């Protein structure tokens, strides 16, 4: 069933992903209703309706579900009981089952491997004896990660020598953990894929992601890699969307290995920071795609009209560039409306477009933004 204009799309989470989803909803004549513990957050500022309450507040979740036509989220760590309550009252897309898989690295890796998709080698770690056995198998260096609640490099530790293990095990919580073989990757890429309620699947071009202090810094679209590799990455993302029975948009993060292989690192069943370039380089963005999918509408083409470099504006240092960004021709600026520019906080992003095939070479990328 497709939603008519005037319908209300409930979005759990009040950050920038919710903000840009709410704007996409408004473009199609829908109203967004944000559920967030934070008053006047990035999404609430642009939404028609708001519920300000804790994610565990069952009464508030019930009122919210009653007031909307369909429910989606931009924040993945919604308590399971809350999700079950929402799903008993209104359609929830992507489904709570998909969230359960993506919230838990072990379920996620099992799902990926069962689907025939390669990941870095991994072993579940329950205790210190298990950890010693795991790195005897996987070898060092390796990465020890929490299975839940990790983001932007939080909840993980690099193990270079056996002596690193005890302290990493003691610090990381909650347990169990997972030990992953360290991938000496040539590049990190991501694919945004969307699937409609009717099973139609579309994928944006894979993009390359570069991180600074564990936070996404730059996205280059398309990823400057051989076309066969990009096609393979797109095909893998489609398989994931299909197998999950996804309704909505999903980000698939992958490593490109030194030998040109692909390993899936993570999936995120929501719009993703590495898909922000689609706002300016494609007729329909990842947010348009997400809203269309959850509203039961047909999915349009994902063809890009331009190549793009996207840079995140993180913390007070990057935000200090804002007036110069506005004065720099060709920079497309996005501000998330956050009042407090704490270090490490994503405050906005800028995109510069290039003619197709005209992405600057390696030496030009550092200057691609040319903030004057
Ligand atoms: P994650 O929380 O899994 O997305 O990891 C955050 C970042 O840590 C990734 O974007 C990589 O840069 C790095 N990383 C994670 N897992 C590995 C690994 N197995 N090998 C090498 N780098 C990794």
């Amino acid at each position: 069933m497709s939603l008519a204009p005037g319908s209300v799309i409930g979005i759990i989470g009040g950050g920038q992903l919710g903000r840009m989803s709410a704007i996409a909803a408004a473009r199609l004549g829908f109203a967004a209703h944000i559920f967030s513990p934070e008053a006047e957050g990035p999404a609430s500022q642009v939404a028609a309706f708001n519920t300000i309450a804790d994610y565990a507040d069952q009464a508030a979740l019930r009122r919210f579900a009653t007031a909307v036509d369909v429910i989606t989220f931009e924040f993945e760590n919604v308590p399971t009981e809350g999700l079950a309550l929402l799903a008993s009252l209104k359609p929830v897309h992507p489904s709570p089952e998909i969230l359960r898989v993506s919230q838990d690295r072990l379920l996620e890796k099992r799902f990926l491997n069962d689907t025939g998709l390669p990941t870095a080698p991994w072993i579940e770690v329950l205790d210190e004896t298990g950890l010693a056995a795991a790195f005897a198998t996987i070898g060092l260096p390796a990465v020890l990660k929490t299975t839940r609640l990790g983001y932007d490099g939080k909840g993980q530790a690099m193990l270079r020598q056996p002596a690193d293990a005890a302290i990493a095990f003691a610090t990381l919580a909650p347990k169990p953990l997972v030990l992953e073989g360290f991938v000496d990757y040539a590049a990190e890429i991501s694919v945004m894929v969307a699937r409609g309620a009717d099973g139609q699947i579309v994928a944006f071009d894979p993009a390359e992601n570069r991180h600074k202090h564990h936070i996404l810094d730059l996205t280059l679209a398309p990823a400057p890699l051989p076309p066969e590799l990009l096609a393979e990455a797109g095909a893998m993302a489609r398989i994931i969307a299909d197998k999950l029975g996804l309704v909505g948009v999903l980000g698939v993060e992958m490593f490109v290995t030194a030998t040109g292989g692909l390993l899936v690192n993570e999936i995120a069943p929501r719009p993703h920071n590495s898909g922000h370039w689609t706002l300016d380089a494609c007729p329909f963005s990842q947010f348009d795609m997400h809203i269309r999918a959850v509203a039961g509408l047909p999915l349009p083409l994902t063809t890009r009209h331009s190549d793009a470099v996207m840079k995140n504006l993180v913390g007070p240092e990057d935000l200090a560039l804002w007036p110069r960004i506005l004065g720099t021709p060709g920079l497309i600026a996005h501000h998330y409306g956050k009042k407090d520019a704490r270090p490490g906080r994503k405050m906005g992003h800028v995109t510069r477009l290039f003619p197709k095939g005209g992405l600057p070479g390696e030496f030009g990328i550092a200057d691609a933004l040319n903030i004057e």
Side-chain angles (χ1 to χ4, degrees), residues 77-211:
N77 294 313
V78 184
T80 320
E81 316 74 60
L83 272 180
L85 172 64
L86 294 173
S88 72
L89 297 167
K90 285 287 155 67
V92 175
H93 298 305
S95 71
E97 175 55 21
I98 297 179
L99 264 193
R100 205 172 68 84
V101 172
S102 71
Q103 280 175 346
D104 183 324
R105 281 192 206 275
L106 289 168
L107 295 181
E108 184 181 54
K109 288 178 191 305
R110 268 184 215 126
F111 160 75
L112 291 166
N113 294 162
D114 289 350
T115 306
L117 299 174
T119 58
W122 60 275
I123 295 180
E124 179 177 6
V125 170
L126 299 169
D127 50 32
E128 280 193 71
T129 321
L131 177 55
F135 71 67
T137 308
I138 284 187
L140 293 176
V143 187
L144 189 61
K145 297 182 179 180
T146 55
T147 52
R148 302 178 60 80
L149 306 177
Y151 66 98
D152 284 349
K154 295 189 178 71
Q156 59 173 275
M158 175 84 179
L159 306 186
R160 292 174 204 282
Q161 51 201 24
D164 296 338
I167 183 147
F169 186 84
T171 342
L172 292 173
K175 310 283 191 294
L177 305 175
V178 58
L179 187 74
E180 272 180 42
F182 177 78
V183 181
D184 189 14
Y185 54 80
E188 288 187 83
I189 62 169
S190 58
V191 183
M192 297 309 307
V193 60
R195 182 176 173 280
D198 61 354
Q200 183 196 0
I201 299 180
V202 296
F204 289 98
D205 292 307
E208 179 178 341
N209 300 313
R210 300 189 179 178
H211 295 82

Side-chain angles (χ1 to χ4, degrees), residues 61-72:
L61 288 169
R62 186 178 288 279
R63 277 197 307 277
F64 168 78
T66 313
V68 304
D69 294 299
V70 65
I71 298 169
T72 187

